[in-house]
Amino acid sequence: MSEETPGFEEKPEVPADGTPDASQAADSADQAEQAAPAGEANANDTALLAQLDQARTALAERTADLQRLQAEYQNYRRRVERDRVTVKEIAVASLLTELLPTLDDIGRAREHNELVGGFKSVAEALETVVAKMGLMQFGKEGEPFDPTIHEALMHSYAPDVTETTCVAILQPGYRIGERTIRPARVAVAEPQPGAAAPKSEDSEESDDTKKDSE
């Protein structure tokens, strides 16, 4: 049994060629393997984030496309509905325009008390049908003349009017909703040329006050 020399420690044997032994090489390999997965994980995270950004961009673009298509479809539906209503109104107006002479005959017969018997029943049935289709008659004596809905066939002057007034309805006008299919044909009267304008209440009061002061 040999004695150890004090002051000296045993050192691991190193090969004569200076290369590390197998245990040191294994430790280095483990460290390299641990460092490699960390780098690969960072690269994978970056790639996933890039793919996520691309997916979000594509989703936003598809969402915008879908919203645009929905808006275009709604506009198309509204346009089709508006055109359908317009075509229906035009067709109804065309049909009722053809019936206006018959309605005029019925009106004249009623004025002369000739609307009797079976003719009266047929006439009232026809008037009921056209009313359900939206036909409305307009034009009354004494109403102000409106060139947008009246057609003046006769003209005169009258001392008892203060503005152009319909004094006789020669043919009633007809409309469907806001659409005028025939203006009312009327005789109009205008104020007498040079006629004094009617006095207002204020002017009448001032005249009364003047008379009282005198």
PDB file of all heavy atoms in Angstrom, residues 29-46:
ATOM      1  N   ALA A  29     -21.727  17.414 -26.959  1.00  0.00           N
ATOM      2  CA  ALA A  29     -22.799  17.022 -27.885  1.00  0.00           C
ATOM      3  C   ALA A  29     -24.161  17.305 -27.281  1.00  0.00           C
ATOM      4  O   ALA A  29     -25.077  17.778 -27.962  1.00  0.00           O
ATOM      5  CB  ALA A  29     -22.654  15.548 -28.251  1.00  0.00           C
ATOM      6  N   ASP A  30     -24.307  17.032 -25.968  1.00  0.00           N
ATOM      7  CA  ASP A  30     -25.598  17.305 -25.304  1.00  0.00           C
ATOM      8  C   ASP A  30     -25.909  18.788 -25.328  1.00  0.00           C
ATOM      9  O   ASP A  30     -27.045  19.198 -25.566  1.00  0.00           O
ATOM     10  CB  ASP A  30     -25.555  16.789 -23.868  1.00  0.00           C
ATOM     11  CG  ASP A  30     -25.505  15.268 -23.790  1.00  0.00           C
ATOM     12  OD1 ASP A  30     -25.893  14.635 -24.812  1.00  0.00           O
ATOM     13  OD2 ASP A  30     -25.103  14.727 -22.750  1.00  0.00           O
ATOM     14  N   GLN A  31     -24.897  19.611 -25.050  1.00  0.00           N
ATOM     15  CA  GLN A  31     -25.119  21.049 -25.073  1.00  0.00           C
ATOM     16  C   GLN A  31     -25.514  21.531 -26.475  1.00  0.00           C
ATOM     17  O   GLN A  31     -26.377  22.390 -26.638  1.00  0.00           O
ATOM     18  CB  GLN A  31     -23.855  21.770 -24.607  1.00  0.00           C
ATOM     19  CG  GLN A  31     -23.526  21.533 -23.126  1.00  0.00           C
ATOM     20  CD  GLN A  31     -22.229  22.183 -22.706  1.00  0.00           C
ATOM     21  OE1 GLN A  31     -21.542  22.787 -23.544  1.00  0.00           O
ATOM     22  NE2 GLN A  31     -21.882  22.044 -21.433  1.00  0.00           N
ATOM     23  N   ALA A  32     -24.890  20.982 -27.488  1.00  0.00           N
ATOM     24  CA  ALA A  32     -25.231  21.363 -28.864  1.00  0.00           C
ATOM     25  C   ALA A  32     -26.663  20.947 -29.205  1.00  0.00           C
ATOM     26  O   ALA A  32     -27.401  21.684 -29.854  1.00  0.00           O
ATOM     27  CB  ALA A  32     -24.231  20.727 -29.828  1.00  0.00           C
ATOM     28  N   GLU A  33     -27.044  19.728 -28.745  1.00  0.00           N
ATOM     29  CA  GLU A  33     -28.406  19.272 -29.008  1.00  0.00           C
ATOM     30  C   GLU A  33     -29.431  20.149 -28.302  1.00  0.00           C
ATOM     31  O   GLU A  33     -30.516  20.408 -28.825  1.00  0.00           O
ATOM     32  CB  GLU A  33     -28.547  17.814 -28.577  1.00  0.00           C
ATOM     33  CG  GLU A  33     -27.775  16.849 -29.465  1.00  0.00           C
ATOM     34  CD  GLU A  33     -27.902  15.418 -28.968  1.00  0.00           C
ATOM     35  OE1 GLU A  33     -28.538  15.222 -27.905  1.00  0.00           O
ATOM     36  OE2 GLU A  33     -27.386  14.504 -29.628  1.00  0.00           O
ATOM     37  N   GLN A  34     -29.131  20.618 -27.074  1.00  0.00           N
ATOM     38  CA  GLN A  34     -30.055  21.492 -26.360  1.00  0.00           C
ATOM     39  C   GLN A  34     -30.175  22.859 -27.025  1.00  0.00           C
ATOM     40  O   GLN A  34     -31.240  23.462 -27.067  1.00  0.00           O
ATOM     41  CB  GLN A  34     -29.578  21.652 -24.912  1.00  0.00           C
ATOM     42  CG  GLN A  34     -29.701  20.364 -24.093  1.00  0.00           C
ATOM     43  CD  GLN A  34     -29.141  20.517 -22.693  1.00  0.00           C
ATOM     44  OE1 GLN A  34     -28.613  21.587 -22.355  1.00  0.00           O
ATOM     45  NE2 GLN A  34     -29.233  19.452 -21.893  1.00  0.00           N
ATOM     46  N   ALA A  35     -29.066  23.358 -27.554  1.00  0.00           N
ATOM     47  CA  ALA A  35     -29.097  24.666 -28.214  1.00  0.00           C
ATOM     48  C   ALA A  35     -29.829  24.595 -29.552  1.00  0.00           C
ATOM     49  O   ALA A  35     -30.536  25.517 -29.944  1.00  0.00           O
ATOM     50  CB  ALA A  35     -27.680  25.183 -28.421  1.00  0.00           C
ATOM     51  N   ALA A  36     -29.739  23.502 -30.267  1.00  0.00           N
ATOM     52  CA  ALA A  36     -30.366  23.366 -31.578  1.00  0.00           C
ATOM     53  C   ALA A  36     -31.886  23.398 -31.492  1.00  0.00           C
ATOM     54  O   ALA A  36     -32.541  24.143 -32.230  1.00  0.00           O
ATOM     55  CB  ALA A  36     -29.878  22.090 -32.260  1.00  0.00           C
ATOM     56  N   PRO A  37     -32.562  22.651 -30.597  1.00  0.00           N
ATOM     57  CA  PRO A  37     -34.029  22.732 -30.520  1.00  0.00           C
ATOM     58  C   PRO A  37     -34.527  24.129 -30.174  1.00  0.00           C
ATOM     59  O   PRO A  37     -35.571  24.553 -30.642  1.00  0.00           O
ATOM     60  CB  PRO A  37     -34.381  21.731 -29.421  1.00  0.00           C
ATOM     61  CG  PRO A  37     -33.261  20.753 -29.440  1.00  0.00           C
ATOM     62  CD  PRO A  37     -32.044  21.564 -29.772  1.00  0.00           C
ATOM     63  N   ALA A  38     -33.810  24.889 -29.348  1.00  0.00           N
ATOM     64  CA  ALA A  38     -34.243  26.239 -29.001  1.00  0.00           C
ATOM     65  C   ALA A  38     -34.264  27.130 -30.240  1.00  0.00           C
ATOM     66  O   ALA A  38     -35.209  27.882 -30.482  1.00  0.00           O
ATOM     67  CB  ALA A  38     -33.308  26.818 -27.941  1.00  0.00           C
ATOM     68  N   GLY A  39     -33.259  27.039 -31.065  1.00  0.00           N
ATOM     69  CA  GLY A  39     -33.233  27.826 -32.287  1.00  0.00           C
ATOM     70  C   GLY A  39     -34.328  27.402 -33.256  1.00  0.00           C
ATOM     71  O   GLY A  39     -34.979  28.228 -33.899  1.00  0.00           O
ATOM     72  N   GLU A  40     -34.532  26.091 -33.369  1.00  0.00           N
ATOM     73  CA  GLU A  40     -35.595  25.603 -34.246  1.00  0.00           C
ATOM     74  C   GLU A  40     -36.964  26.056 -33.766  1.00  0.00           C
ATOM     75  O   GLU A  40     -37.847  26.389 -34.566  1.00  0.00           O
ATOM     76  CB  GLU A  40     -35.528  24.080 -34.336  1.00  0.00           C
ATOM     77  CG  GLU A  40     -34.281  23.573 -35.047  1.00  0.00           C
ATOM     78  CD  GLU A  40     -34.226  22.046 -35.054  1.00  0.00           C
ATOM     79  OE1 GLU A  40     -35.163  21.447 -34.471  1.00  0.00           O
ATOM     80  OE2 GLU A  40     -33.295  21.493 -35.643  1.00  0.00           O
ATOM     81  N   ALA A  41     -37.174  26.087 -32.433  1.00  0.00           N
ATOM     82  CA  ALA A  41     -38.461  26.531 -31.885  1.00  0.00           C
ATOM     83  C   ALA A  41     -38.720  27.992 -32.213  1.00  0.00           C
ATOM     84  O   ALA A  41     -39.843  28.375 -32.584  1.00  0.00           O
ATOM     85  CB  ALA A  41     -38.485  26.311 -30.369  1.00  0.00           C
ATOM     86  N   ASN A  42     -37.715  28.833 -32.086  1.00  0.00           N
ATOM     87  CA  ASN A  42     -37.886  30.248 -32.442  1.00  0.00           C
ATOM     88  C   ASN A  42     -38.244  30.417 -33.920  1.00  0.00           C
ATOM     89  O   ASN A  42     -39.095  31.229 -34.290  1.00  0.00           O
ATOM     90  CB  ASN A  42     -36.621  31.028 -32.116  1.00  0.00           C
ATOM     91  CG  ASN A  42     -36.377  31.127 -30.612  1.00  0.00           C
ATOM     92  OD1 ASN A  42     -37.326  31.076 -29.819  1.00  0.00           O
ATOM     93  ND2 ASN A  42     -35.114  31.259 -30.213  1.00  0.00           N
ATOM     94  N   ALA A  43     -37.584  29.653 -34.771  1.00  0.00           N
ATOM     95  CA  ALA A  43     -37.866  29.730 -36.198  1.00  0.00           C
ATOM     96  C   ALA A  43     -39.285  29.264 -36.494  1.00  0.00           C
ATOM     97  O   ALA A  43     -40.006  29.858 -37.308  1.00  0.00           O
ATOM     98  CB  ALA A  43     -36.853  28.903 -36.983  1.00  0.00           C
ATOM     99  N   ASN A  44     -39.714  28.191 -35.796  1.00  0.00           N
ATOM    100  CA  ASN A  44     -41.079  27.688 -35.995  1.00  0.00           C
ATOM    101  C   ASN A  44     -42.108  28.716 -35.534  1.00  0.00           C
ATOM    102  O   ASN A  44     -43.146  28.916 -36.180  1.00  0.00           O
ATOM    103  CB  ASN A  44     -41.266  26.370 -35.241  1.00  0.00           C
ATOM    104  CG  ASN A  44     -40.462  25.230 -35.860  1.00  0.00           C
ATOM    105  OD1 ASN A  44     -40.115  25.291 -37.046  1.00  0.00           O
ATOM    106  ND2 ASN A  44     -40.161  24.211 -35.066  1.00  0.00           N
ATOM    107  N   ASP A  45     -41.849  29.387 -34.385  1.00  0.00           N
ATOM    108  CA  ASP A  45     -42.776  30.419 -33.892  1.00  0.00           C
ATOM    109  C   ASP A  45     -42.895  31.565 -34.894  1.00  0.00           C
ATOM    110  O   ASP A  45     -43.996  32.078 -35.156  1.00  0.00           O
ATOM    111  CB  ASP A  45     -42.290  30.949 -32.540  1.00  0.00           C
ATOM    112  CG  ASP A  45     -42.415  29.902 -31.436  1.00  0.00           C
ATOM    113  OD1 ASP A  45     -43.149  28.911 -31.651  1.00  0.00           O
ATOM    114  OD2 ASP A  45     -41.776  30.075 -30.376  1.00  0.00           O
ATOM    115  N   THR A  46     -41.780  31.980 -35.452  1.00  0.00           N
ATOM    116  CA  THR A  46     -41.810  33.064 -36.432  1.00  0.00           C
ATOM    117  C   THR A  46     -42.611  32.666 -37.666  1.00  0.00           C
ATOM    118  O   THR A  46     -43.411  33.453 -38.192  1.00  0.00           O
ATOM    119  CB  THR A  46     -40.384  33.435 -36.841  1.00  0.00           C
ATOM    120  OG1 THR A  46     -39.634  33.819 -35.668  1.00  0.00           O
ATOM    121  CG2 THR A  46     -40.398  34.601 -37.819  1.00  0.00           C
TER     122      THR A  46
END
